[in-house]
Amino acid sequence: RQDQTAQSQPADLKFNGVDLAERELLEVILSCPDHADYIRHQIGPDDFNNTKHRQLLELCFDLVTEEGILPDAQSVIAAAESDSAILSLVNALLDTASEKGIAELMREQPLTSETGGTFVPPHLERVLRPLLIRRAKNQNMLSKQKLAQADSSSSKLNHDTMDALRRIFRFRQSQM
């Protein structure tokens, strides 16, 4: 009986928080492909650490940019052709998206109504937030590394050093 229980547990439990954030964004894209273009302007494949997740994200974005079609489940499965790992990932993501009710969560209305601009469901903002924060932290770390490597004997800051300082300043402002 214990063997059956262990086998029936979702594969999500084997992933860390970063992988789960990536998976949830992919669940949103597959469940609500009409938001893919907005997501594409917020997050890129370089923001993903997991190789398979990155490949699937690239496939979805390629459908939008190169084919001009929404990355719905059928289109993504057709584009994946015979890549069994991607097909398996798509099926797992569709199953968990259905269990979580992602499509319903994406229909939530924001608490404040803003005039003009793009309507972004609150759930999508919640899903994007950890990925955007991770990107900002990574950029902040890179900026600090550039500053550490900067020539300290020079009294004038070069363009790269100024850029690094600006990124650190913006990161600190966003943390307040």
Side-chain angles (χ1 to χ4, degrees):
R1 179 118 220 240
Q2 289 176 340
D3 292 337
Q4 290 175 344
T5 307
Q7 290 174 353
S8 66
Q9 289 182 349
D12 285 347
L13 297 177
K14 299 175 186 174
F15 294 104
N16 62 31
V18 171
D19 285 339
L20 290 175
E22 294 173 3
R23 287 177 68 87
E24 189 152 13
L25 185 63
L26 290 167
E27 291 167 5
V28 167
I29 292 171
L30 293 170
S31 300
C32 304
D34 49 319
H35 293 286
D37 197 48
Y38 173 79
I39 293 168
R40 185 175 65 85
H41 287 93
Q42 302 299 313
I43 295 291
D46 291 342
D47 293 313
F48 275 35
N49 290 344
N50 183 296
T51 305
K52 286 297 172 192
H53 296 167
R54 186 180 316 115
Q55 289 173 339
L56 180 54
L57 184 70
E58 288 172 343
L59 178 69
C60 291
F61 288 172
D62 286 348
L63 286 172
V64 173
T65 58
E66 295 174 12
E67 307 290 328
I69 58 176
L70 293 177
D72 61 15
Q74 288 179 330
S75 302
V76 172
I77 289 170
E81 296 172 352
S82 60
D83 187 335
S84 60
I86 294 291
L87 293 171
S88 175
L89 178 59
V90 168
N91 286 324
L93 291 170
L94 289 170
D95 287 345
T96 54
S98 175
E99 290 170 10
K100 293 177 185 176
I102 296 290
E104 292 79 29
L105 289 170
M106 289 294 288
R107 286 194 279 273
E108 283 180 16
Q109 297 296 314
L111 296 176
T112 59
S113 62
E114 297 176 13
T115 55
T118 305
F119 165 72
V120 180
H123 182 70
L124 181 55
E125 289 177 350
R126 286 189 297 267
V127 170
L128 285 171
R129 184 174 189 84
L131 296 167
L132 294 171
I133 289 171
R134 182 178 68 195
R135 179 199 297 155
K137 285 181 179 179
N138 288 342
Q139 288 175 341
N140 187 39
M141 188 171 29
L142 287 172
S143 295
K144 285 180 180 179
Q145 289 171 353
K146 282 184 181 179
L147 283 176
Q149 294 171 353
D151 184 10
S152 60
S153 64
S154 172
S155 62
K156 185 174 179 181
L157 298 176
N158 66 26
H159 181 67
D160 288 341
T161 305
M162 288 296 292
D163 238 13
L165 285 170
R166 282 188 195 103
R167 281 196 299 273
I168 291 171
F169 179 72
R170 282 192 296 260
F171 175 74
R172 292 288 180 214
Q173 277 185 320
S174 71
Q175 297 298 307
M176 292 181 187

